[in-house]
Amino acid sequence: MTETTIKLQAFMSQAGIASRRASEKLIESGKVIVNGETAHIGQRVNPKTDTVICNGETITPSEQKRYFLIDKPIGVVSTTNDELGRKNVTQLLPKNVKERLYPVGRLDIDSEGLLLLTNDGELAQKLTHPKYEVEKTYHVFTKLNPTFNAIQHLRKGVKLKEGYTSPAKVERLSNDETGAWTEITISEGRNHQVRRMMERVGYEVEKLVRISMGPLHIDMLDGERVIELSEEQVQELKSDL
Ligand code: URA
């Protein structure tokens, strides 16, 4: 099975012709023609090169959905372009990616870590819309070790200019003479939220690394800067949301 072909009924449903089951019925009834020949159940097509006609109408393939995980470095903006001409995350993608992908959930220029780039708007919405409350976990480095009270305060919710933050999961990770790492998990996505939460309790963030977003985890990159999710990983991600 190569990545360039997909099941005919999947191609038809992605193009908005009918559900997969209804597309199978159309194929069975002989109403679907692939490259001039009547299609059969089980047939696969290459959306880029094969001509598929259903009920006399040529089916135009919808853009292939792609999903890349990136370990964003500091200094790169998580937008698709930047008026100041700084490097943006789409420039980290392999050169042969032709689809227009966009980042799901921003990371500040000074933040690093996990970022998903995709052209799947539905999935992006599920990962970022507040009503789905998808958890994002960050590792935060501060020069001072947050006190027990500060941690309790972060857990309960802190007052920002637009209101109180929802309860967060906060755990101490490690500390030495240079500073302390703390793990913070939130399910909101306000601008600069973690930095502002830490500032509110008296700590300036020196480093901010996103470790996970819902079922996506930085470890899935296995040390790489960029990976493309496989079809199986995408299915798993969707079923976990
Ligand atoms: N919170 C922040 O303050 N910055 C980020 O980049 C992500 C979460």
Side-chain angles (χ1 to χ4, degrees):
M1 196 195 302
T2 65
E3 287 221 2
T4 50
T5 65
I6 58 171
K7 284 188 183 148
L8 179 54
Q9 63 269 33
F11 169 78
M12 290 171 67
S13 77
Q14 277 171 24
I17 302 301
S19 68
R20 285 184 188 216
R21 283 191 74 93
S23 297
E24 277 172 4
K25 294 231 164 74
L26 286 166
I27 298 167
E28 270 167 357
S29 64
K31 291 187 174 136
V32 184
I33 314 284
V34 177
N35 301 331
E37 297 202 0
T38 305
H40 54 86
I41 287 291
Q43 190 163 354
R44 299 179 71 87
V45 290
N46 181 333
K48 290 207 177 105
T49 54
D50 290 331
T51 303
V52 182
I53 296 174
C54 177
N55 283 329
E57 301 263 345
T58 304
I59 302 176
T60 320
S62 56
E63 194 178 47
Q64 191 195 353
K65 299 279 185 272
R66 301 190 74 175
Y67 308 80
F68 284 86
L69 284 188
I70 290 192
D71 178 3
K72 185 188 99 58
I74 292 171
V76 177
V77 290
S78 58
T79 52
T80 50
N81 56 37
D82 180 56
E83 66 227 20
L84 301 176
R86 293 170 296 187
K87 186 166 183 173
N88 74 67
V89 282
T90 61
Q91 291 169 295
L92 298 171
L93 291 169
K95 293 278 169 287
N96 59 3
V97 176
K98 296 288 172 268
E99 293 82 4
R100 281 172 65 87
L101 308 185
Y102 46 90
V104 178
R106 290 226 182 150
L107 272 180
D108 301 336
I109 187 164
D110 295 335
S111 302
E112 51 193 308
L114 187 75
L115 192 63
L116 172 71
L117 271 83
T118 184
N119 51 354
D120 183 339
E122 205 178 313
L123 183 82
Q125 169 88 349
K126 282 210 170 145
L127 282 167
T128 54
H129 195 286
K131 81 173 173 199
Y132 298 110
E133 295 188 355
V134 170
E135 288 190 338
K136 283 137 306 205
T137 297
Y138 299 89
H139 287 181
V140 176
F141 185 77
T142 49
K143 280 191 183 148
L144 298 172
N145 195 6
T147 61
F148 177 75
N149 277 351
I151 289 192
Q152 287 298 83
H153 194 171
L154 289 166
R155 284 181 179 150
K156 276 201 203 129
V158 301
K159 193 170 178 208
L160 301 179
K161 62 179 186 314
E162 68 276 34
Y164 279 91
T165 58
S166 299
K169 294 179 189 162
V170 185
E171 298 299 334
R172 285 203 173 101
L173 291 176
S174 62
N175 73 88
D176 61 19
E177 63 287 352
T178 63
W181 284 100
T182 307
E183 182 174 272
I184 303 189
T185 301
I186 56 173
S187 48
E188 302 169 289
R190 309 180 196 200
N191 242 354
H192 312 304
Q193 180 162 343
V194 175
R195 287 175 201 275
R196 290 193 292 140
M197 285 169 70
M198 291 303 285
E199 256 165 44
R200 189 74 183 89
V201 295
Y203 299 86
E204 198 184 332
V205 169
E206 302 288 331
K207 265 177 175 274
L208 180 51
V209 187
R210 181 151 62 202
I211 301 301
S212 66
M213 186 178 198
L216 299 170
H217 195 279
I218 193 97
D219 286 350
M220 290 166 75
L221 281 142
D222 209 9
E224 301 284 336
R225 176 69 65 203
V226 183
I227 58 159
E228 180 162 22
L229 294 184
S230 66
E231 231 173 272
E232 290 73 30
Q233 285 174 311
V234 172
Q235 288 317 321
E236 208 178 306
L237 167 62
K238 288 183 177 172
S239 63
D240 283 350
L241 284 174

